[in-house]
Amino acid sequence: MSKQVLVTGGTGYIGSHTVVELQAAGFRVVIADNLSNSNIEVLDAIQKISGVRPDFENVDLADKLATDSFFDKYPDIDAIIHFAAFKAVGESVQKPLEYYHNNLNSLLNLLGNMLRYNIRNMVFSSSCTVYGQPDKLPVTEQTPRKPAESPYGNTKAICEDILRDFCHANAGFNCIALRYFNPIGAHPSALIGELPLGVPNNLVPFITQTAAGIRNELSIFGDDYATPDGTAIRDYINVVDLSGAHVVAINRLIQDKQKANYEFFNVGTGTGLSVMQLVKSFIAVTGVQLPYKIAPRRAGDIEKIWADTSFANEELGWKASRATEETLLSAWNWEKSVRGIN
Ligand code: UFG
């Protein structure tokens, strides 16, 4: 019997792409998701891509009783990938208690059930936000974490600490935190992708919605940063590449290849691109009009960050491979398919 992986948040953006990659690698998948920021139709799309419909349960993982009942129903899970979380930085500043409640309790409830059912493996969605604005670039895993700039960022740092302490106390239980840089793009089938509710916070969905005519104009937040063109720099990673890192991490856990029972890795491309470079690249590769203007800096933004990925490349044997142009095109194809544009 193939191994069974629980993917929390599996109908979400990164979750859905990872489900597809797990299925391609021969895993059975069960999704737990409360659909608070995703759509049940994603299951149809996953089935179209892979030919297999994953098991699905509508569960609020911050609810202990509901989470315990879920595990009673699925007692044979081999590993968990925990994506489910609130993720809007600005919203977290307005609603800190909701962020702490949701993001911390869901992890605690999952870890409690790992002990109850002897599920020994977890991959956790962390973020490069734990580095803040680093003093030295690129950031390695040794780069010190900085105090979080937002409650959202703080939940990622606290969850990492919880995992470290959990693994320290429970030999034989294994966790890997993946610190994502900026995931962008969509599956090449254009059947799944990022579908933000309301006005997008993130750059690429705002770009594709503007190109589709849903937004009038893109605002580029700040052109007076200490970067070559003055706009902020990030490490944009293709979501399918990022999903592949999860499959590698799951195999590492299941095959007991870890060097320590709690590990964390940078998952990026190793290359920083400015907002302006990304915008120009989008226009060049798609040939569409993209009205944009320079606007003031966005509160809480850092100036620049990109990853040193050598540890992940060497230790996991994983490397991001898709070019930015291909990735931007996939984001545009997804937007067009959602909006019915030819
Ligand atoms: N940006 C714009 N205009 C927009 C949207 C974004 O200029 O309309 C700029 C931002 O100011 C920033 C860059 O594009 O310089 C990237 O912004 P995103 O919102 O896409 O991504 P962030 O780097 O701010 O945040 C992302 C995730 C967080 C995660 C963080 C880690 O959304 O969850 O990366 O760095 F914590």
Side-chain angles (χ1 to χ4, degrees):
M1 192 71 154
S2 57
K3 301 278 186 194
Q4 186 179 37
V5 180
L6 162 61
V7 180
T8 77
T11 53
Y13 173 44
I14 309 172
S16 58
H17 289 81
T18 300
V19 168
V20 167
E21 297 306 306
L22 286 166
Q23 290 177 320
F27 291 101
R28 283 179 298 139
V29 174
V30 52
I31 293 173
D33 199 310
N34 67 353
L35 302 173
S36 66
N37 192 25
S38 62
N39 203 311
I40 192 72
E41 276 91 58
V42 169
L43 295 178
D44 301 331
I46 291 172
Q47 186 174 0
K48 254 191 202 160
I49 295 170
S50 70
V52 180
R53 193 174 187 83
D55 286 331
F56 174 83
E57 299 291 333
N58 187 327
V59 195
D60 175 1
L61 297 163
D63 175 339
K64 183 172 183 306
L65 287 179
T67 307
D68 290 352
S69 309
F70 167 84
F71 280 93
D72 295 341
K73 189 170 171 188
Y74 293 88
D76 299 321
I77 288 166
D78 296 287
I80 300 172
I81 306 182
H82 182 35
F83 291 107
F86 291 160
K87 61 171 187 177
V89 177
E91 184 185 62
S92 78
V93 176
Q94 306 305 320
K95 302 177 178 173
L97 295 188
E98 292 181 23
Y99 272 68
Y100 287 114
H101 170 77
N102 189 57
N103 293 5
L104 301 188
N105 284 319
S106 58
L107 179 66
L108 294 173
N109 291 336
L110 290 170
L111 293 173
N113 277 289
M114 285 172 69
L115 293 176
R116 266 178 83 216
Y117 278 105
N118 199 29
I119 301 165
R120 290 171 171 267
N121 306 304
M122 175 182 275
V123 176
F124 175 70
S125 288
S126 191
S127 166
C128 70
T129 194
V130 300
Y131 296 117
Q133 176 59 69
D135 300 325
K136 254 176 68 187
L137 287 164
V139 285
T140 72
E141 287 76 358
Q142 274 70 54
T143 299
R145 285 185 353 192
K146 289 208 169 153
E149 298 273 345
S150 69
Y152 158 77
N154 206 22
T155 68
K156 291 298 174 192
I158 295 170
C159 285
E160 284 195 354
D161 292 345
I162 291 172
L163 290 176
R164 182 201 58 210
D165 295 347
F166 173 82
C167 288
H168 181 72
N170 297 286
F173 285 77
N174 312 304
C175 298
I176 295 177
L178 298 179
R179 291 175 174 169
Y180 313 153
F181 284 69
N182 287 54
I184 61 166
H187 194 267
S189 65
L191 290 166
I192 53 174
E194 189 170 9
L195 202 55
L197 298 175
V199 182
N201 290 308
N202 297 118
L203 179 59
V204 169
F206 207 104
I207 289 177
T208 57
Q209 288 197 10
T210 306
I214 298 159
R215 312 280 156 209
N216 289 335
E217 190 174 41
L218 169 74
S219 290
I220 294 179
F221 298 137
D223 70 346
D224 56 353
Y225 286 110
T227 61
D229 65 22
T231 64
I233 294 178
R234 297 289 184 275
D235 183 335
Y236 296 95
I237 175 167
N238 182 294
V239 68
V240 179
D241 280 339
L242 174 58
S243 298
H246 293 78
V247 177
V248 171
I250 283 289
N251 278 321
R252 182 176 177 89
L253 291 169
I254 287 176
Q255 295 162 13
D256 257 331
K257 287 189 181 154
Q258 284 188 291
K259 300 267 164 72
N261 71 334
Y262 173 59
E263 294 178 323
F264 47 95
F265 295 94
N266 286 344
V267 186
T269 66
T271 303
L273 282 182
S274 74
V275 174
M276 191 59 90
Q277 281 177 307
L278 201 80
V279 165
K280 293 208 165 135
S281 179
F282 180 85
I283 294 168
V285 77
T286 62
V288 296
Q289 295 275 339
L290 184 69
Y292 64 83
K293 64 169 185 208
I294 305 297
R297 292 182 180 193
R298 184 171 70 178
D301 271 350
I302 59 163
E303 183 166 271
K304 52 190 166 196
I305 188 165
W306 63 95
D308 181 327
T309 59
S310 36
F311 185 55
N313 298 160
E314 283 153 30
E315 205 43 53
L316 295 177
W318 166 91
K319 202 173 182 1
S321 64
R322 289 164 178 85
T324 312
E325 291 75 14
E326 174 188 345
T327 304
L328 289 172
L329 206 50
S330 73
W332 178 229
N333 287 336
W334 161 246
E335 186 73 54
K336 285 196 294 182
S337 98
V338 170
R339 310 294 163 192
I341 300 169
N342 285 318

